[in-house]
Amino acid sequence: RDQLIRELEEARKALDQLSACQTELQKAQERYQTLLESGPDPMAFISREGKIVMVNAQLEVLFGYTREDLIGRNIDTLVPERFRGTHAQQVKEYFLHPRARPMGSGLDIYALKKDGTEFAADVSLSTMRAGEDVFAVAAIRDVTVLKRSEAQFRQNYHMQKVMCSILKSSLEPISLEKQLDRIIEQILSIPWLSLTSMGAIYLVEDEPDVLVMKTQRGFPESQRKICEKVPFGRCLCGQAACSCKVIYAESIDDRHETRTGDMLPHGHYCIPVVYNLRTLGLINVFVKEGHKRIKEEEDFLTAVANTLAGIIVRYRAQMEKEYLQEKLAQAEKLSAIGRL
């Protein structure tokens, strides 16, 4: 009986200790959950098998799921379907060689919300051990706005670079044809423009209401011949020149009157070069078939056309000035001979 009483007492103490441990564990879990919920980033804990074991409230808000929806599901639930095959392999490789990966790694990552919306994401990774178990801790940020800002910054940089190059070239003692060569090269070299490697610049010269091709890139011989001269009002280029307005086509449609048998599918930006409501020339660049009209592209090409208009007017004024000076010099020379 005494032995039984001692064993009962020891069991009671053990039970009290276990209860105290459970209480401390619960408090620790509550503290940890509080810290997790107070974190600024949406977070998910992923098991070695790729299952979601814990999320915070920020992640629920970002993805539109409740935690009950996510707990126990594969992390691929939050990944666009086209990336799931490679992502599953990346999860396996991560657990084979766990390592920390901070935000700003420069990877192109996309995530999927419950409503099917995709967004650009930045994901930091770290590991957490609980006994023998290892979990990946992913902090996720929606960087759509940041990506858009970065893209806009790159676009502005390339635009400024090209415009500065064009203006610098206009100050050099080179022919107008050489300047046009450089301009079409600069336009087709911009990486964010959805252009093919084909384009041309036309001028209106001695023959009124006719565009004359002065420089081109990528035109097959057959197409170059039939496009060397384009009357106002004919085909896309002529219509743009006649109306003094930008004309866009995402494919070869009925407006594309001039065609060849070997012509590949394409679309166009036809940008008239206008000065004082008069068309001086035209910039014609090719886009891939089906490409949609983009305001930023059109605005940039229009800015180049406006700059080119100023270059043409200044160049022709300079040529006219030199011609008049030469005629004046000849007249003065003849007058001097007459006096002799």
Side-chain angles (χ1 to χ4, degrees), residues 204-216:
V204 179
E205 296 189 311
D206 301 329
E207 201 172 352
D209 297 340
V210 175
L211 295 169
V212 179
M213 184 186 292
K214 304 303 294 183
T215 184
Q216 58 82 24

Side-chain angles (χ1 to χ4, degrees), residues 17-34:
Q17 291 176 352
L18 178 60
S19 179
C21 288
Q22 289 177 333
T23 301
E24 286 299 318
L25 177 60
Q26 185 176 356
K27 290 180 179 179
Q29 289 176 332
E30 290 174 355
R31 287 195 297 269
Y32 188 79
Q33 189 67 36
T34 300

Side-chain angles (χ1 to χ4, degrees), residues 172-175 314-330:
E172 296 179 15
I174 58 176
S175 67
R314 186 167 61 252
Y315 182 85
R316 289 178 175 174
Q318 181 64 29
M319 293 298 100
E320 181 69 18
K321 177 182 177 181
E322 292 177 2
Y323 173 77
L324 292 175
Q325 287 176 338
E326 183 178 350
K327 295 291 289 184
L328 179 61
Q330 290 176 354

Side-chain angles (χ1 to χ4, degrees), residues 181-313:
D181 272 343
R182 292 184 179 182
I183 290 172
I184 196 65
E185 285 283 359
Q186 291 281 352
I187 293 173
L188 296 179
S189 70
I190 295 182
W192 57 268
L193 280 178
S194 304
L195 308 179
T196 65
S197 57
M198 292 181 63
I201 297 179
Y202 292 83
L203 293 182
V204 179
E205 296 189 311
D206 301 329
E207 201 172 352
D209 297 340
V210 175
L211 295 169
V212 179
M213 184 186 292
K214 304 303 294 183
T215 184
Q216 58 82 24
R217 293 294 184 275
F219 275 62
E221 183 64 20
S222 59
Q223 192 169 348
R224 185 184 62 79
K225 286 183 178 180
I226 66 172
C227 293
E228 279 184 336
K229 289 189 176 183
V230 181
F232 277 30
R234 179 172 176 78
C235 206
L236 296 171
C237 294
Q239 292 176 35
C242 187
S243 65
C244 295
K245 295 180 180 179
V246 176
I247 287 184
Y248 180 79
E250 64 180 53
S251 62
I252 301 174
D253 56 24
D254 294 339
R255 297 172 296 172
H256 209 304
E257 301 173 48
T258 305
R259 308 188 188 191
T260 62
D262 59 350
M263 184 176 289
L264 297 175
H266 64 273
H268 283 284
Y269 279 109
C270 296
I271 314 289
V273 180
V274 179
Y275 184 81
N276 282 345
L277 302 179
R278 183 168 63 94
T279 298
L280 304 180
L282 181 126
I283 299 173
N284 174 22
V285 289
F286 288 57
V287 298
K288 294 179 180 179
E289 184 180 40
H291 174 69
K292 301 301 180 184
R293 191 172 190 168
I294 297 177
K295 183 179 184 300
E296 289 78 9
E297 293 179 343
E298 185 174 327
D299 287 347
F300 168 70
L301 293 170
T302 301
V304 173
N306 292 338
T307 303
L308 178 56
I311 292 173
I312 294 171
V313 169

